[in-house]
Amino acid sequence: MDVGGLAELDRRITGCRACPRLVEWREDVARTKRAAFADETYWGRPVPGFGPADASLLIVGLAPAAHGANRTGRMFTGDRSGDVLYAALHDVGLASRGTAVSADDGLELYGVRITSPVHCAPPANKPTPDERDACRPWLVRELELLRPSLRAVVVLGAFGWQAALPAFAAAGWAVPRPRPAFAHGARLTLGSPLESGPRRESGSPLASGSIELFGCFHVSQRNTFTGRLTPAMLRDVLYAAADAAGLPTKPYPG
Ligand code: SF4
């Protein structure tokens, strides 16, 4: 994919119309709206990644929510899933505030970028395999652009995990075969065959350019309302990932 830097990539993503079903859905939702947001102008377009271009930690979700990011135009902004995610990021010291209500609310991420393998809101939060595959080149290019600074990745949920592993492979990282299954608390190292730096001694798998990949249950209402994913569980994953990414954090609570 021939695009310039990350800002140019983000700009191009917002103009994508490759998936007819998703284009129709996202624009229909933006026209009909939810009653609580009847006075707002919905974004109604693909939602690009959010966070600095030199992020060392990447969080990969699933897809924008119809009345969340598809309304506000920023990842995980304006819905309950984002409330949980940004509160945890703030608790850990990776975000300037614990709430995300609109694209111009001043929220900053510290060394963290948030993206998704599908950039358009899908009906019932379920993209098809064809839509996932159609959107993959955007994620591959984002990973390639983040490569110089990227050290760790948190993938939220099994869909993101299945979508992200082929993207990491396409972007040049060594993904084990067979591909590791998703699990909350899963952690693995993806080596970078494109880097020629010497491997560390004593059998450490960490070579120059490697990244640490973490699995975490998705911050969906289904998971957070039922206690399948608690704020403490999410914070634990973020602390471990921030440590792997070399990011400073607040003291661990308690
Ligand atoms: Fe384009 Fe991805 Fe949206 Fe499909 S899901 S229209 S590939 S941005």
Side-chain angles (χ1 to χ4, degrees), residues 13-14 16-20 22-23 26 46-47 117-121 131 134-136 138:
I13 286 174
T14 63
C16 184
R17 302 180 68 84
C19 306
L22 298 188
V23 170
R26 78 192 191 206
V47 180
V118 172
H119 286 281
C120 292
E131 290 160 352
C135 212
R136 181 172 298 131
W138 294 125

mmCIF file of all heavy atoms in Angstrom, residues 13-14 16-20 22-23 26 46-47 117-121 131 134-136 138, ligand 1:
data_model
loop_
_atom_site.group_PDB
_atom_site.id
_atom_site.type_symbol
_atom_site.label_atom_id
_atom_site.label_comp_id
_atom_site.label_asym_id
_atom_site.label_seq_id
_atom_site.Cartn_x
_atom_site.Cartn_y
_atom_site.Cartn_z
ATOM 1 N N ILE A 13 -7.775 6.366 5.302
ATOM 2 C CA ILE A 13 -8.739 5.413 5.861
ATOM 3 C C ILE A 13 -10.132 6.051 5.937
ATOM 4 O O ILE A 13 -11.141 5.401 5.617
ATOM 5 C CB ILE A 13 -8.284 4.952 7.269
ATOM 6 C CG1 ILE A 13 -7.100 3.973 7.147
ATOM 7 C CG2 ILE A 13 -9.428 4.298 8.040
ATOM 8 C CD1 ILE A 13 -6.479 3.575 8.476
ATOM 9 N N THR A 14 -10.198 7.293 6.343
ATOM 10 C CA THR A 14 -11.516 7.928 6.538
ATOM 11 C C THR A 14 -12.300 8.062 5.238
ATOM 12 O O THR A 14 -13.503 8.311 5.271
ATOM 13 C CB THR A 14 -11.384 9.318 7.193
ATOM 14 O OG1 THR A 14 -10.649 10.168 6.319
ATOM 15 C CG2 THR A 14 -10.699 9.225 8.545
ATOM 16 N N CYS A 16 -12.358 5.534 2.916
ATOM 17 C CA CYS A 16 -12.500 4.202 2.320
ATOM 18 C C CYS A 16 -13.977 3.803 2.190
ATOM 19 O O CYS A 16 -14.779 4.019 3.099
ATOM 20 C CB CYS A 16 -11.756 3.184 3.180
ATOM 21 S SG CYS A 16 -11.781 1.513 2.478
ATOM 22 N N ARG A 17 -14.306 3.179 1.074
ATOM 23 C CA ARG A 17 -15.677 2.703 0.821
ATOM 24 C C ARG A 17 -15.633 1.287 0.231
ATOM 25 O O ARG A 17 -16.491 0.903 -0.584
ATOM 26 C CB ARG A 17 -16.414 3.648 -0.137
ATOM 27 C CG ARG A 17 -16.495 5.089 0.357
ATOM 28 C CD ARG A 17 -17.235 5.996 -0.610
ATOM 29 N NE ARG A 17 -18.638 5.672 -0.695
ATOM 30 C CZ ARG A 17 -19.567 6.113 0.141
ATOM 31 N NH1 ARG A 17 -19.231 6.910 1.138
ATOM 32 N NH2 ARG A 17 -20.832 5.770 -0.007
ATOM 33 N N ALA A 18 -14.661 0.504 0.668
ATOM 34 C CA ALA A 18 -14.437 -0.802 0.040
ATOM 35 C C ALA A 18 -15.491 -1.846 0.393
ATOM 36 O O ALA A 18 -15.634 -2.816 -0.344
ATOM 37 C CB ALA A 18 -13.043 -1.319 0.410
ATOM 38 N N CYS A 19 -16.193 -1.689 1.513
ATOM 39 C CA CYS A 19 -17.141 -2.716 1.959
ATOM 40 C C CYS A 19 -18.574 -2.179 1.853
ATOM 41 O O CYS A 19 -19.017 -1.416 2.727
ATOM 42 C CB CYS A 19 -16.857 -3.119 3.405
ATOM 43 S SG CYS A 19 -15.162 -3.643 3.702
ATOM 44 N N PRO A 20 -19.323 -2.575 0.812
ATOM 45 C CA PRO A 20 -20.652 -1.974 0.581
ATOM 46 C C PRO A 20 -21.600 -2.117 1.783
ATOM 47 O O PRO A 20 -22.304 -1.176 2.128
ATOM 48 C CB PRO A 20 -21.174 -2.762 -0.623
ATOM 49 C CG PRO A 20 -19.963 -3.332 -1.272
ATOM 50 C CD PRO A 20 -18.936 -3.532 -0.211
ATOM 51 N N LEU A 22 -20.909 -2.354 4.975
ATOM 52 C CA LEU A 22 -20.521 -1.500 6.090
ATOM 53 C C LEU A 22 -20.716 -0.024 5.759
ATOM 54 O O LEU A 22 -21.085 0.768 6.634
ATOM 55 C CB LEU A 22 -19.067 -1.765 6.495
ATOM 56 C CG LEU A 22 -18.779 -3.181 6.993
ATOM 57 C CD1 LEU A 22 -17.367 -3.291 7.540
ATOM 58 C CD2 LEU A 22 -19.792 -3.614 8.044
ATOM 59 N N VAL A 23 -20.472 0.354 4.515
ATOM 60 C CA VAL A 23 -20.707 1.751 4.117
ATOM 61 C C VAL A 23 -22.190 2.093 4.304
ATOM 62 O O VAL A 23 -22.540 3.122 4.892
ATOM 63 C CB VAL A 23 -20.278 1.972 2.649
ATOM 64 C CG1 VAL A 23 -20.738 3.339 2.164
ATOM 65 C CG2 VAL A 23 -18.765 1.835 2.510
ATOM 66 N N ARG A 26 -23.009 2.106 8.285
ATOM 67 C CA ARG A 26 -22.456 3.225 9.062
ATOM 68 C C ARG A 26 -23.157 4.531 8.695
ATOM 69 O O ARG A 26 -23.404 5.388 9.568
ATOM 70 C CB ARG A 26 -20.934 3.317 8.850
ATOM 71 C CG ARG A 26 -20.518 3.949 7.526
ATOM 72 C CD ARG A 26 -19.053 3.793 7.156
ATOM 73 N NE ARG A 26 -18.784 4.667 6.020
ATOM 74 C CZ ARG A 26 -17.835 4.487 5.122
ATOM 75 N NH1 ARG A 26 -17.007 3.471 5.230
ATOM 76 N NH2 ARG A 26 -17.671 5.345 4.139
ATOM 77 N N PRO A 46 -15.285 5.678 8.193
ATOM 78 C CA PRO A 46 -14.292 4.835 8.861
ATOM 79 C C PRO A 46 -13.561 5.631 9.949
ATOM 80 O O PRO A 46 -13.299 6.830 9.788
ATOM 81 C CB PRO A 46 -13.330 4.448 7.732
ATOM 82 C CG PRO A 46 -14.114 4.619 6.476
ATOM 83 C CD PRO A 46 -15.049 5.765 6.729
ATOM 84 N N VAL A 47 -13.251 4.950 11.050
ATOM 85 C CA VAL A 47 -12.592 5.603 12.181
ATOM 86 C C VAL A 47 -11.117 5.206 12.171
ATOM 87 O O VAL A 47 -10.787 4.013 12.276
ATOM 88 C CB VAL A 47 -13.238 5.169 13.510
ATOM 89 C CG1 VAL A 47 -12.540 5.853 14.683
ATOM 90 C CG2 VAL A 47 -14.732 5.493 13.492
ATOM 91 N N PRO A 117 -8.927 -3.769 13.741
ATOM 92 C CA PRO A 117 -8.715 -4.458 12.469
ATOM 93 C C PRO A 117 -9.794 -4.160 11.438
ATOM 94 O O PRO A 117 -9.598 -4.413 10.250
ATOM 95 C CB PRO A 117 -8.725 -5.945 12.851
ATOM 96 C CG PRO A 117 -9.432 -6.016 14.143
ATOM 97 C CD PRO A 117 -9.255 -4.689 14.834
ATOM 98 N N VAL A 118 -10.939 -3.632 11.898
ATOM 99 C CA VAL A 118 -12.005 -3.194 10.991
ATOM 100 C C VAL A 118 -12.349 -1.755 11.381
ATOM 101 O O VAL A 118 -12.626 -1.478 12.544
ATOM 102 C CB VAL A 118 -13.246 -4.107 11.108
ATOM 103 C CG1 VAL A 118 -14.419 -3.546 10.314
ATOM 104 C CG2 VAL A 118 -12.899 -5.513 10.618
ATOM 105 N N HIS A 119 -12.320 -0.846 10.409
ATOM 106 C CA HIS A 119 -12.444 0.577 10.735
ATOM 107 C C HIS A 119 -13.860 1.132 10.604
ATOM 108 O O HIS A 119 -14.081 2.317 10.863
ATOM 109 C CB HIS A 119 -11.485 1.388 9.872
ATOM 110 C CG HIS A 119 -10.048 1.262 10.296
ATOM 111 N ND1 HIS A 119 -9.507 1.953 11.357
ATOM 112 C CD2 HIS A 119 -9.044 0.478 9.835
ATOM 113 C CE1 HIS A 119 -8.243 1.635 11.512
ATOM 114 N NE2 HIS A 119 -7.934 0.736 10.596
ATOM 115 N N CYS A 120 -14.796 0.311 10.170
ATOM 116 C CA CYS A 120 -16.184 0.782 10.057
ATOM 117 C C CYS A 120 -17.083 0.014 11.018
ATOM 118 O O CYS A 120 -16.885 -1.184 11.230
ATOM 119 C CB CYS A 120 -16.709 0.584 8.642
ATOM 120 S SG CYS A 120 -15.897 1.643 7.444
ATOM 121 N N ALA A 121 -18.086 0.702 11.569
ATOM 122 C CA ALA A 121 -19.032 0.049 12.474
ATOM 123 C C ALA A 121 -19.817 -1.018 11.718
ATOM 124 O O ALA A 121 -20.397 -0.742 10.675
ATOM 125 C CB ALA A 121 -19.989 1.089 13.054
ATOM 126 N N GLU A 131 -15.049 -8.756 5.121
ATOM 127 C CA GLU A 131 -14.821 -7.365 5.542
ATOM 128 C C GLU A 131 -13.533 -7.262 6.366
ATOM 129 O O GLU A 131 -12.757 -6.313 6.205
ATOM 130 C CB GLU A 131 -16.036 -6.865 6.329
ATOM 131 C CG GLU A 131 -17.252 -6.682 5.426
ATOM 132 C CD GLU A 131 -18.575 -6.671 6.169
ATOM 133 O OE1 GLU A 131 -18.609 -6.954 7.392
ATOM 134 O OE2 GLU A 131 -19.604 -6.399 5.524
ATOM 135 N N ALA A 134 -10.748 -7.433 3.914
ATOM 136 C CA ALA A 134 -10.651 -6.214 3.091
ATOM 137 C C ALA A 134 -9.973 -5.090 3.859
ATOM 138 O O ALA A 134 -9.269 -4.259 3.281
ATOM 139 C CB ALA A 134 -12.056 -5.775 2.651
ATOM 140 N N CYS A 135 -10.162 -5.060 5.173
ATOM 141 C CA CYS A 135 -9.607 -3.962 5.974
ATOM 142 C C CYS A 135 -8.170 -4.236 6.418
ATOM 143 O O CYS A 135 -7.493 -3.329 6.888
ATOM 144 C CB CYS A 135 -10.495 -3.725 7.199
ATOM 145 S SG CYS A 135 -10.530 -1.993 7.733
ATOM 146 N N ARG A 136 -7.706 -5.457 6.275
ATOM 147 C CA ARG A 136 -6.383 -5.821 6.810
ATOM 148 C C ARG A 136 -5.244 -4.953 6.275
ATOM 149 O O ARG A 136 -4.325 -4.604 7.034
ATOM 150 C CB ARG A 136 -6.096 -7.296 6.549
ATOM 151 C CG ARG A 136 -4.730 -7.719 7.116
ATOM 152 C CD ARG A 136 -4.507 -9.214 7.050
ATOM 153 N NE ARG A 136 -5.483 -9.923 7.842
ATOM 154 C CZ ARG A 136 -6.193 -10.975 7.402
ATOM 155 N NH1 ARG A 136 -6.010 -11.414 6.182
ATOM 156 N NH2 ARG A 136 -7.051 -11.568 8.184
ATOM 157 N N TRP A 138 -5.005 -1.909 5.765
ATOM 158 C CA TRP A 138 -4.851 -0.679 6.559
ATOM 159 C C TRP A 138 -4.067 -0.970 7.841
ATOM 160 O O TRP A 138 -3.188 -0.205 8.247
ATOM 161 C CB TRP A 138 -6.213 -0.097 6.930
ATOM 162 C CG TRP A 138 -7.042 0.410 5.800
ATOM 163 C CD1 TRP A 138 -8.313 0.033 5.491
ATOM 164 C CD2 TRP A 138 -6.713 1.440 4.838
ATOM 165 N NE1 TRP A 138 -8.785 0.733 4.403
ATOM 166 C CE2 TRP A 138 -7.830 1.602 3.987
ATOM 167 C CE3 TRP A 138 -5.577 2.226 4.613
ATOM 168 C CZ2 TRP A 138 -7.841 2.516 2.935
ATOM 169 C CZ3 TRP A 138 -5.591 3.150 3.560
ATOM 170 C CH2 TRP A 138 -6.701 3.277 2.746
HETATM 171 FE FE1 SF4 B 1 -12.708 0.325 4.152
HETATM 172 FE FE2 SF4 B 1 -12.115 -1.084 6.331
HETATM 173 FE FE3 SF4 B 1 -14.362 0.345 6.256
HETATM 174 FE FE4 SF4 B 1 -14.133 -1.853 4.748
HETATM 175 S S1 SF4 B 1 -14.145 -1.751 7.006
HETATM 176 S S2 SF4 B 1 -14.967 0.160 4.093
HETATM 177 S S3 SF4 B 1 -11.932 -1.784 4.184
HETATM 178 S S4 SF4 B 1 -12.258 1.138 6.197
#
